[in-house]
Amino acid sequence: MKLKELLLNNRSYRRFVETEEIKMEELEDMIDNVRLSPSPANLQPLQFILVNDRDTNEKLFPHLKWAGYLKEWPGPGEGERPSAYIIILGNKEKSGFVAWDYGIALQSILLGAVEKGFGGCAVAACDKPKIGDMFEIPETLEIAAVVALGKPAEKVVIDDVENDDIKYWRDRDQVHHVPKRKLADLILKKI
């Protein structure tokens, strides 16, 4: 796939075919994409926890919050939950630019997932202390996000932003709509 096609298919999927397994080697390859990506000052302050075990997935799932704009939706039901997770950890003592690394890592992981026929959702709204305890994460590392991964079981479409409303929503057929600003609205000047 070309980059534009990968980007168009890289949506925040929140419902998955839970039985569609992601192999550990595939998760490792997504992290290898991060390893090969830029890092400010080449400090490389990130580490990752890779999870594709069903029992561990079940224990991790309740600590995640799924869709802030969909107030009535409790998150994916049984059978549509992620089949794997990548927990992104950063060492702030190692780099003052760790937030840049988080963004680069998320994009690299998610584009790698799309390339393999999967999709994902970066979940930053989570119970970080409980996840930290669950995985015995050292205090020197902070949890940036949990990337939920799996075979998408929902349709996500891009709409133009109208009336400056950027909130995603679902229609009656459960198609997930994501408003995006027009290109002309993003470009301040062309010189």
Side-chain angles (χ1 to χ4, degrees):
M1 277 189 247
K2 293 192 175 225
L3 180 59
K4 185 75 78 170
E5 188 178 356
L6 286 169
L7 290 167
L8 286 169
N9 286 295
N10 181 23
R11 309 284 28 108
S12 289
Y13 296 103
R14 293 175 178 86
R15 292 182 292 177
F16 304 93
V17 179
E18 193 170 340
T19 56
E20 185 79 28
E21 187 178 310
I22 299 179
K23 295 180 174 78
M24 188 57 70
E25 297 78 28
E26 293 171 306
L27 294 173
E28 288 173 351
D29 190 54
M30 292 176 208
I31 299 309
D32 200 36
N33 289 341
V34 175
R35 182 183 72 83
L36 298 171
S37 297
S39 174
N42 202 32
L43 294 173
Q44 305 171 59
L46 304 184
Q47 289 187 281
F48 306 88
I49 296 174
L50 312 181
V51 182
N52 72 347
D53 174 73
R54 287 180 192 252
D55 291 337
T56 307
N57 287 350
E58 283 183 34
K59 291 174 187 167
L60 178 57
F61 179 81
H63 302 301
L64 306 175
K65 297 180 178 96
W66 283 94
Y69 292 143
L70 304 177
K71 302 287 184 211
E72 305 300 316
W73 189 61
E78 286 190 36
E80 57 184 20
R81 294 180 178 163
S83 56
Y85 296 95
I86 294 175
I87 302 171
I88 302 177
L89 307 166
N91 186 333
K92 283 188 150 185
E93 295 172 2
K94 201 171 191 180
S95 172
F97 299 101
V98 72
W100 291 42
D101 286 278
Y102 293 150
I104 293 166
L106 281 170
Q107 185 80 315
S108 297
I109 290 166
L110 291 170
L111 290 176
V114 170
E115 181 184 45
K116 295 176 183 317
F118 299 114
C121 183
V123 181
C126 57
D127 191 333
K128 293 176 183 179
K130 286 193 178 162
I131 294 169
D133 289 344
M134 181 178 169
F135 291 98
E136 300 176 350
I137 297 170
E139 288 186 22
T140 55
L141 299 174
E142 70 172 0
I143 298 170
V146 177
V147 184
L149 297 159
K151 185 77 167 177
E154 66 182 334
K155 183 176 182 180
V156 179
V157 298
I158 296 174
D159 298 328
D160 287 335
V161 168
E162 292 184 23
N163 301 318
D164 215 28
D165 186 1
I166 48 83
K167 292 180 182 175
Y168 51 80
W169 56 282
R170 291 211 174 120
D171 64 24
R172 70 174 142 241
D173 296 323
Q174 294 303 301
V175 173
H176 192 89
H177 293 261
V178 181
K180 293 287 185 183
R181 298 187 195 286
K182 294 177 183 169
L183 178 60
D185 296 334
L186 301 180
I187 298 172
L188 181 62
K189 292 182 185 183
K190 295 193 279 188
I191 301 170

